Amino acid sequence: MQGLSAVGLVVLIGLIIWGCRIGAARSLSPIPAMAATVRQLGPQNLGQRVRRGGKKDELRELADSVDEMLDRVVVGFEGQRRFAANASHELRTPLAVQRTLVEVAMVTGDDKEVNRLGMQLLLVNERNERLIEGLLVLAESDRGLPGTVPVRLDQLTNEVMDSYGELSAEHEVTLRRGMVERTVHGDPVLLERMISNLIHNAIKYNEPGGWVEIVVAERPALSVHNSGQVVPAEGVSSLFEPFRRRAAERTNHRDGAGLGLSIVRSIAAAHDGGVSAKPGEQGGLRVEVTLP
């Protein structure tokens, strides 16, 4: 009898433990769904919320708190985006006026010193215009796509490559291409800017006698690989941050605004894609863009 009682006690304890585990699993089952919702959030889908219904319990309170936090994040995110876009628009006009005044002064004057200073001012002005244009593209791509159309990525890439023939010849860089027919749904203007930024960077950060290989395929959708100086693996991720350059300091504006790869990443994300980079085996960089 004592043996049976001991067995019954063990069974009872086992049933209690099993019941507690079932109850805990049921009570915590909404948490993975909540975590998945938060994990999917990004600049293009900040409107997503947990919105847990049902009775007012601890999990409902947690879900409501997460939703309220996301509301505050959206306000801050949109404020930054509007500021960048508005500031960029406002700065365009005075820069255009400044460029015109400098050009007029250079044409009407015959002082060599004035002309030399004018050329320097035009270079500074051009750099600032590129910076503002980059900020505008970044702000617009972060906003998401208002609509999409079918885009032949291979044809668009070929057109962009053809437009860089003169620059590649100037830098003594050979352009190689490998294309398969690939159609994606997206914004052709933003996609063209993404491709252009990648090819421009690959030519600019290269060496005389080097090459740039551009491939359109199924996966990745676009690959741009160039020769050039060795890129440290630990420094690759920082290249996608705004105002960072591969071969120049943040304070050196001679080589552009430092927004090229930031814009590439933002445009890829706006198309539900992604971008990654790694050093080339013999120098240079390999950038791959995935698109759905």
Side-chain angles (χ1 to χ4, degrees):
M1 290 294 292
Q2 291 180 351
L4 291 175
S5 299
V7 171
L9 182 60
V10 170
V11 172
L12 179 61
I13 293 173
L15 290 173
I16 293 173
I17 294 174
W18 178 76
C20 291
R21 292 184 64 181
I22 293 295
R26 287 181 178 177
S27 62
L28 296 177
S29 59
I31 291 182
M34 293 169 59
T37 300
V38 175
R39 197 176 294 117
Q40 292 171 4
L41 291 171
Q44 285 75 39
N45 60 343
L46 284 172
Q48 194 166 353
R49 296 292 182 271
V50 177
R51 303 196 193 284
R52 175 171 170 77
K55 62 180 182 179
K56 241 335 191 181
D57 55 8
E58 288 82 0
L59 284 176
R60 170 74 179 274
E61 186 175 349
L62 175 61
D64 291 343
S65 298
V66 171
D67 287 343
E68 292 171 2
M69 177 194 68
L70 293 174
D71 290 338
R72 294 192 295 272
V73 170
V74 169
V75 172
F77 213 98
E78 286 299 325
Q80 289 183 348
R81 206 149 52 187
R82 281 195 303 270
F83 173 79
N86 293 337
S88 299
H89 279 297
E90 291 297 325
L91 287 170
R92 268 178 160 178
T93 301
L95 280 175
V97 173
Q98 176 183 320
R99 183 179 68 251
T100 302
L101 291 175
V102 172
E103 290 173 345
V104 170
M106 292 174 64
V107 171
T108 57
D110 56 0
D111 191 320
K112 292 183 178 180
E113 186 64 20
V114 170
N115 288 336
R116 186 181 67 83
L117 292 175
M119 287 299 299
Q120 292 178 349
L121 284 174
L122 285 177
L123 289 175
V124 173
N125 189 276
E126 181 184 350
R127 186 261 163 189
N128 289 333
E129 287 179 335
R130 287 200 306 267
L131 173 60
I132 289 172
E133 186 64 28
L135 288 172
L136 279 172
V137 174
L138 202 57
E140 289 301 318
S141 58
D142 280 343
R143 192 181 301 276
L145 302 178
T148 62
V149 297
V151 179
R152 279 286 299 274
L153 189 64
D154 53 312
Q155 292 180 355
L156 184 61
T157 303
N158 273 319
E159 292 171 4
V160 175
M161 288 185 67
D162 291 340
S163 70
Y164 276 98
E166 185 175 340
L167 183 65
S168 62
E170 179 184 336
H171 285 76
E172 301 179 25
V173 172
T174 302
L175 298 182
R176 307 173 183 171
R177 65 186 79 196
M179 307 288 170
V180 300
E181 184 176 328
R182 177 71 195 276
T183 300
V184 298
H185 289 271
D187 184 313
V189 175
L190 288 178
L191 289 173
E192 181 180 2
R193 182 57 181 267
M194 179 185 72
I195 299 166
S196 179
N197 281 7
L198 287 173
I199 296 177
H200 184 268
N201 274 9
I203 295 174
K204 182 171 67 174
Y205 296 109
N206 215 312
E207 297 174 338
W211 48 267
V212 178
E213 184 178 73
I214 301 98
V215 176
V216 173
E218 188 63 30
R219 188 169 184 86
L222 176 67
S223 173
V224 179
H225 183 201
N226 65 285
S227 60
Q229 297 180 356
V230 175
V231 181
E234 62 273 12
V236 170
S237 60
S238 66
L239 297 177
F240 290 94
E241 298 301 322
F243 309 109
R244 296 299 294 269
R245 300 168 187 80
R246 193 192 320 174
E249 298 296 332
R250 292 170 65 96
T251 55
N252 180 6
H253 303 316
R254 179 184 57 196
D255 295 324
L259 290 170
L261 289 180
S262 299
I263 292 173
V264 169
R265 181 178 62 179
S266 188
I267 293 175
H271 288 79
D272 296 325
V275 59
S276 62
K278 61 182 180 181
E281 295 178 358
Q282 298 178 346
L285 196 68
R286 179 186 295 273
V287 181
E288 296 181 346
V289 178
T290 57
L291 296 171

mmCIF file of all heavy atoms in Angstrom, residues 209-227:
data_model
loop_
_atom_site.group_PDB
_atom_site.id
_atom_site.type_symbol
_atom_site.label_atom_id
_atom_site.label_comp_id
_atom_site.label_asym_id
_atom_site.label_seq_id
_atom_site.Cartn_x
_atom_site.Cartn_y
_atom_site.Cartn_z
ATOM 1 N N GLY A 209 44.000 51.223 -64.308
ATOM 2 C CA GLY A 209 44.172 49.853 -64.779
ATOM 3 C C GLY A 209 43.259 48.862 -64.079
ATOM 4 O O GLY A 209 43.321 47.660 -64.353
ATOM 5 N N GLY A 210 42.405 49.355 -63.193
ATOM 6 C CA GLY A 210 41.512 48.471 -62.450
ATOM 7 C C GLY A 210 40.241 48.147 -63.220
ATOM 8 O O GLY A 210 40.104 48.463 -64.416
ATOM 9 N N TRP A 211 39.293 47.540 -62.553
ATOM 10 C CA TRP A 211 38.062 47.097 -63.206
ATOM 11 C C TRP A 211 36.884 47.167 -62.228
ATOM 12 O O TRP A 211 37.060 47.200 -61.016
ATOM 13 C CB TRP A 211 38.201 45.660 -63.721
ATOM 14 C CG TRP A 211 38.776 44.701 -62.697
ATOM 15 C CD1 TRP A 211 40.078 44.366 -62.542
ATOM 16 C CD2 TRP A 211 38.047 44.026 -61.649
ATOM 17 N NE1 TRP A 211 40.231 43.502 -61.476
ATOM 18 C CE2 TRP A 211 38.995 43.272 -60.917
ATOM 19 C CE3 TRP A 211 36.712 43.972 -61.275
ATOM 20 C CZ2 TRP A 211 38.634 42.492 -59.826
ATOM 21 C CZ3 TRP A 211 36.349 43.183 -60.185
ATOM 22 C CH2 TRP A 211 37.313 42.448 -59.476
ATOM 23 N N VAL A 212 35.695 47.217 -62.813
ATOM 24 C CA VAL A 212 34.447 47.146 -62.060
ATOM 25 C C VAL A 212 33.562 46.114 -62.752
ATOM 26 O O VAL A 212 33.315 46.202 -63.958
ATOM 27 C CB VAL A 212 33.713 48.500 -62.002
ATOM 28 C CG1 VAL A 212 32.401 48.362 -61.249
ATOM 29 C CG2 VAL A 212 34.593 49.557 -61.353
ATOM 30 N N GLU A 213 33.092 45.141 -61.988
ATOM 31 C CA GLU A 213 32.241 44.081 -62.533
ATOM 32 C C GLU A 213 30.827 44.235 -61.977
ATOM 33 O O GLU A 213 30.631 44.200 -60.763
ATOM 34 C CB GLU A 213 32.804 42.710 -62.182
ATOM 35 C CG GLU A 213 32.025 41.561 -62.800
ATOM 36 C CD GLU A 213 32.659 40.218 -62.467
ATOM 37 O OE1 GLU A 213 32.540 39.794 -61.295
ATOM 38 O OE2 GLU A 213 33.266 39.611 -63.368
ATOM 39 N N ILE A 214 29.855 44.429 -62.868
ATOM 40 C CA ILE A 214 28.455 44.606 -62.478
ATOM 41 C C ILE A 214 27.655 43.426 -63.014
ATOM 42 O O ILE A 214 27.670 43.159 -64.217
ATOM 43 C CB ILE A 214 27.886 45.934 -63.015
ATOM 44 C CG1 ILE A 214 28.708 47.120 -62.486
ATOM 45 C CG2 ILE A 214 26.428 46.083 -62.611
ATOM 46 C CD1 ILE A 214 29.726 47.624 -63.456
ATOM 47 N N VAL A 215 26.961 42.730 -62.122
ATOM 48 C CA VAL A 215 26.205 41.540 -62.493
ATOM 49 C C VAL A 215 24.766 41.683 -62.008
ATOM 50 O O VAL A 215 24.525 42.034 -60.853
ATOM 51 C CB VAL A 215 26.835 40.263 -61.878
ATOM 52 C CG1 VAL A 215 25.983 39.037 -62.197
ATOM 53 C CG2 VAL A 215 28.261 40.075 -62.396
ATOM 54 N N VAL A 216 23.817 41.410 -62.891
ATOM 55 C CA VAL A 216 22.397 41.328 -62.534
ATOM 56 C C VAL A 216 21.983 39.876 -62.653
ATOM 57 O O VAL A 216 22.181 39.245 -63.694
ATOM 58 C CB VAL A 216 21.525 42.216 -63.446
ATOM 59 C CG1 VAL A 216 20.043 41.971 -63.170
ATOM 60 C CG2 VAL A 216 21.862 43.677 -63.233
ATOM 61 N N ALA A 217 21.437 39.318 -61.583
ATOM 62 C CA ALA A 217 21.059 37.905 -61.562
ATOM 63 C C ALA A 217 19.824 37.746 -60.684
ATOM 64 O O ALA A 217 19.183 38.722 -60.286
ATOM 65 C CB ALA A 217 22.222 37.061 -61.047
ATOM 66 N N GLU A 218 19.489 36.501 -60.395
ATOM 67 C CA GLU A 218 18.324 36.232 -59.556
ATOM 68 C C GLU A 218 18.615 36.560 -58.098
ATOM 69 O O GLU A 218 17.866 37.268 -57.435
ATOM 70 C CB GLU A 218 17.912 34.760 -59.704
ATOM 71 C CG GLU A 218 16.605 34.414 -59.015
ATOM 72 C CD GLU A 218 15.414 35.160 -59.589
ATOM 73 O OE1 GLU A 218 15.435 35.487 -60.790
ATOM 74 O OE2 GLU A 218 14.463 35.441 -58.825
ATOM 75 N N ARG A 219 19.734 36.015 -57.595
ATOM 76 C CA ARG A 219 20.110 36.287 -56.209
ATOM 77 C C ARG A 219 21.623 36.239 -56.083
ATOM 78 O O ARG A 219 22.210 35.209 -56.376
ATOM 79 C CB ARG A 219 19.470 35.253 -55.276
ATOM 80 C CG ARG A 219 19.660 35.601 -53.805
ATOM 81 C CD ARG A 219 18.803 34.712 -52.908
ATOM 82 N NE ARG A 219 18.908 35.107 -51.531
ATOM 83 C CZ ARG A 219 18.167 36.044 -50.951
ATOM 84 N NH1 ARG A 219 17.260 36.665 -51.671
ATOM 85 N NH2 ARG A 219 18.320 36.365 -49.695
ATOM 86 N N PRO A 220 22.265 37.347 -55.716
ATOM 87 C CA PRO A 220 21.638 38.647 -55.465
ATOM 88 C C PRO A 220 21.151 39.301 -56.754
ATOM 89 O O PRO A 220 21.619 38.963 -57.841
ATOM 90 C CB PRO A 220 22.764 39.452 -54.831
ATOM 91 C CG PRO A 220 24.007 38.859 -55.419
ATOM 92 C CD PRO A 220 23.732 37.401 -55.555
ATOM 93 N N ALA A 221 20.235 40.239 -56.614
ATOM 94 C CA ALA A 221 19.692 40.912 -57.788
ATOM 95 C C ALA A 221 20.763 41.727 -58.485
ATOM 96 O O ALA A 221 20.826 41.775 -59.718
ATOM 97 C CB ALA A 221 18.518 41.801 -57.375
ATOM 98 N N LEU A 222 21.613 42.369 -57.710
ATOM 99 C CA LEU A 222 22.668 43.214 -58.268
ATOM 100 C C LEU A 222 23.938 43.028 -57.466
ATOM 101 O O LEU A 222 23.913 43.048 -56.237
ATOM 102 C CB LEU A 222 22.240 44.690 -58.230
ATOM 103 C CG LEU A 222 23.271 45.720 -58.701
ATOM 104 C CD1 LEU A 222 23.541 45.569 -60.188
ATOM 105 C CD2 LEU A 222 22.794 47.141 -58.391
ATOM 106 N N SER A 223 25.042 42.846 -58.160
ATOM 107 C CA SER A 223 26.350 42.704 -57.525
ATOM 108 C C SER A 223 27.331 43.636 -58.214
ATOM 109 O O SER A 223 27.431 43.641 -59.446
ATOM 110 C CB SER A 223 26.833 41.257 -57.617
ATOM 111 O OG SER A 223 28.164 41.138 -57.151
ATOM 112 N N VAL A 224 28.019 44.447 -57.418
ATOM 113 C CA VAL A 224 29.032 45.367 -57.949
ATOM 114 C C VAL A 224 30.338 45.072 -57.224
ATOM 115 O O VAL A 224 30.443 45.246 -56.013
ATOM 116 C CB VAL A 224 28.618 46.835 -57.751
ATOM 117 C CG1 VAL A 224 29.715 47.757 -58.288
ATOM 118 C CG2 VAL A 224 27.301 47.130 -58.455
ATOM 119 N N HIS A 225 31.332 44.627 -57.995
ATOM 120 C CA HIS A 225 32.622 44.229 -57.438
ATOM 121 C C HIS A 225 33.703 45.023 -58.153
ATOM 122 O O HIS A 225 33.714 45.085 -59.389
ATOM 123 C CB HIS A 225 32.838 42.722 -57.640
ATOM 124 C CG HIS A 225 34.107 42.216 -57.042
ATOM 125 N ND1 HIS A 225 34.700 41.026 -57.447
ATOM 126 C CD2 HIS A 225 34.914 42.718 -56.078
ATOM 127 C CE1 HIS A 225 35.803 40.838 -56.743
ATOM 128 N NE2 HIS A 225 35.957 41.851 -55.913
ATOM 129 N N ASN A 226 34.578 45.649 -57.393
ATOM 130 C CA ASN A 226 35.633 46.451 -58.013
ATOM 131 C C ASN A 226 36.998 46.103 -57.439
ATOM 132 O O ASN A 226 37.105 45.608 -56.316
ATOM 133 C CB ASN A 226 35.360 47.946 -57.814
ATOM 134 C CG ASN A 226 35.417 48.361 -56.350
ATOM 135 O OD1 ASN A 226 34.492 48.071 -55.597
ATOM 136 N ND2 ASN A 226 36.485 49.040 -55.955
ATOM 137 N N SER A 227 38.014 46.372 -58.238
ATOM 138 C CA SER A 227 39.389 46.257 -57.754
ATOM 139 C C SER A 227 39.720 47.522 -56.975
ATOM 140 O O SER A 227 38.922 48.447 -56.889
ATOM 141 C CB SER A 227 40.346 46.080 -58.934
ATOM 142 O OG SER A 227 40.253 47.203 -59.802
#
